[in-house]
Amino acid sequence: MKVALFVTCVVDQMWPSVGASTVEVLRRVGCTVEFDERQTCCGQPAFNTGYRDEARKLAERFIGLCENSQAEAIVSPSGSCTAMVHHYPALFPDDESWRQRARAVADRTFELSSFLVRVLKVEDVGARWAGRVTWHDACHALRDLDVHAEPRRLIGHVRDAEFVELENADSCCGFGGTFSVKYPEISVAILDQKIEAIERAGVKAVVSGDASCLMQIGGRLSRKGSSVRTMHLAELLAAQ
């Protein structure tokens, strides 16, 4: 299958190894991957902060680029950005033409684990990584896209990895995009509950599907002097 990589701003600017790992995994399962370097922000920060006109302009650009692609699916290593694309139709309440175009793009846009398990029906991608790991459910992937079992199934097939279910795995890490900037004290208080659960789990790494959550968690772990590392699911699945 031919797929287009929707890399996201955070991955492109802050964690490019996640993008490279996503391509590696997709190629390993037989996909041909294309990447349009003209990609920009999906509009989520503007959308979540109430700037709908600005979000709409970014959505129109993204939709236009996707319509020029012949890829059968658009795959992203981010539940939150994928969820934003699925919200695009709501940005055009009075324009049926754009709403249909937005819906068509949303219908072929998938978060990585969902694409592997639900679309390709693949759970074992040939990964190997030694150590005890746990999983953090990123809010948008879980609540907007109903992604829960898929990453756990994929991790369960990683050779030499021991999966441990995290206490309050489905609770927020406190990032929430601009929320963590506007309300830093509340953000850290939420985050510390997650950190305490990770420390009790006794794991070598905490894995998730959103780089923004992992940056939030990883930053706090680092400041606390923890040896637990953060890994994106794509990085874990690319390991051999």
Side-chain angles (χ1 to χ4, degrees):
M1 181 182 291
K2 184 176 183 179
V3 303
L5 173 65
F6 170 25
V7 73
T8 81
C9 297
V10 172
V11 169
D12 183 44
Q13 299 295 319
M14 307 296 292
W15 209 326
S17 63
V18 172
S21 295
T22 300
V23 173
E24 165 64 25
V25 171
L26 290 171
R27 286 175 174 169
R28 194 185 299 166
V29 298
C31 293
T32 300
V33 184
E34 68 174 28
F35 174 65
D36 191 332
E37 295 182 0
R38 297 173 296 170
Q39 289 181 37
T40 56
C41 179
C42 65
Q44 182 185 166
F47 180 83
N48 289 347
T49 314
Y51 295 94
R52 297 302 172 90
D53 290 341
E54 290 78 4
R56 189 177 301 110
K57 292 177 183 177
L58 290 166
E60 289 173 353
R61 174 175 171 76
F62 186 89
I63 291 166
L65 291 176
C66 292
E67 288 175 335
N68 290 331
S69 169
Q70 298 301 310
E72 298 172 70
I74 302 159
V75 181
S76 177
S78 168
S80 62
C81 293
T82 300
M84 181 62 216
V85 175
H86 284 251
H87 285 304
Y88 277 174
L91 286 171
F92 306 98
D94 302 317
D95 192 326
E96 180 61 23
S97 175
W98 269 107
R99 193 160 58 248
Q100 289 182 1
R101 293 171 66 182
R103 193 172 294 117
V105 169
D107 286 345
R108 61 189 180 108
T109 303
F110 302 89
E111 179 272 337
L112 177 62
S113 71
S114 177
F115 178 72
L116 291 171
V117 175
R118 297 181 190 176
V119 179
L120 296 186
K121 311 299 182 184
V122 171
E123 296 184 8
D124 187 344
V125 301
R128 183 184 299 276
W129 192 85
R132 185 178 168 100
V133 302
T134 193
W135 173 260
H136 160 68
D137 289 297
C139 291
H140 286 91
L142 178 65
R143 293 169 175 83
D144 277 3
L145 303 176
D146 196 28
V147 172
H148 179 271
E150 294 83 357
R152 289 167 170 82
R153 290 179 183 175
L154 291 162
I155 294 172
H157 286 87
V158 176
R159 292 154 183 78
D160 299 331
E162 177 189 357
F163 176 71
V164 178
E165 189 65 50
L166 183 66
E167 177 188 341
N168 73 7
D170 61 353
S171 67
C172 181
C173 69
F175 178 67
T178 55
F179 173 85
S180 61
V181 177
K182 291 183 176 181
Y183 306 102
E185 295 84 2
I186 300 174
S187 173
V188 171
I190 295 171
L191 172 60
D192 278 344
Q193 295 180 8
K194 179 71 64 173
I195 297 300
E196 290 168 5
I198 292 170
E199 291 175 336
R200 286 194 296 270
V203 294
K204 184 177 178 181
V206 55
V207 184
S208 190
D210 264 287
S212 54
C213 293
L214 291 169
M215 290 171 63
Q216 166 90 340
I217 295 169
R220 192 63 167 163
L221 286 169
S222 176
R223 287 190 292 275
K224 291 173 69 69
S226 174
S227 62
V228 180
R229 64 176 292 189
T230 52
M231 293 182 72
H232 191 281
L233 178 64
E235 294 178 308
L236 179 65
L237 298 181
Q240 285 187 316

